[in-house]
Amino acid sequence: MHAVDVFEIIGALVILVAFAAAQAGWLRQRTLTYQLLNFLGSGLLAVIALQQDSWGFLLLEGSWAVISLIGLITLRTDREPQQV
């Protein structure tokens, strides 16, 4: 097993833990933890896909990372006080 394989497994497990926790009702999807886990896991997998020229996997994981990043930004802007 190569180091890249270990990082692939870690990235996948991070995403799966977030998903499983949300499905079990232990973690809400509109939380910093959920969005951050998805962003970190998919970002890691997207970098690996790019390195390996795996374009379909890059499309999937890159999109997942961007959508998770948007979720993180949305959570941050929702917390800021409204200015009049």
Side-chain angles (χ1 to χ4, degrees), residues 1-10 44 48 51-52:
M1 184 177 288
H2 298 285
V4 172
D5 297 326
V6 173
F7 286 117
E8 274 184 329
I9 291 168
I10 291 169
L44 178 59
I48 292 169
Q51 177 206 19
Q52 296 181 348

Side-chain angles (χ1 to χ4, degrees), residues 14-80:
V14 168
I15 293 170
L16 288 171
V17 164
F19 181 70
Q23 292 301 306
W26 301 329
L27 183 61
R28 292 183 44 212
Q29 293 176 339
R30 296 282 303 149
T31 62
L32 178 63
T33 302
Y34 181 82
Q35 296 296 331
L36 194 56
L37 287 171
N38 274 288
F39 177 69
L40 293 174
S42 61
L44 178 59
L45 292 174
V47 168
I48 292 169
L50 179 63
Q51 177 206 19
Q52 296 181 348
D53 295 332
S54 182
W55 305 116
F57 195 46
L58 177 61
L59 175 62
L60 174 66
E61 294 304 331
S63 299
W64 196 307
V66 168
I67 293 166
S68 297
L69 181 60
I70 292 169
L72 284 167
I73 292 168
T74 301
L75 285 173
R76 178 162 170 77
T77 57
D78 286 350
R79 289 187 189 156
E80 292 179 1

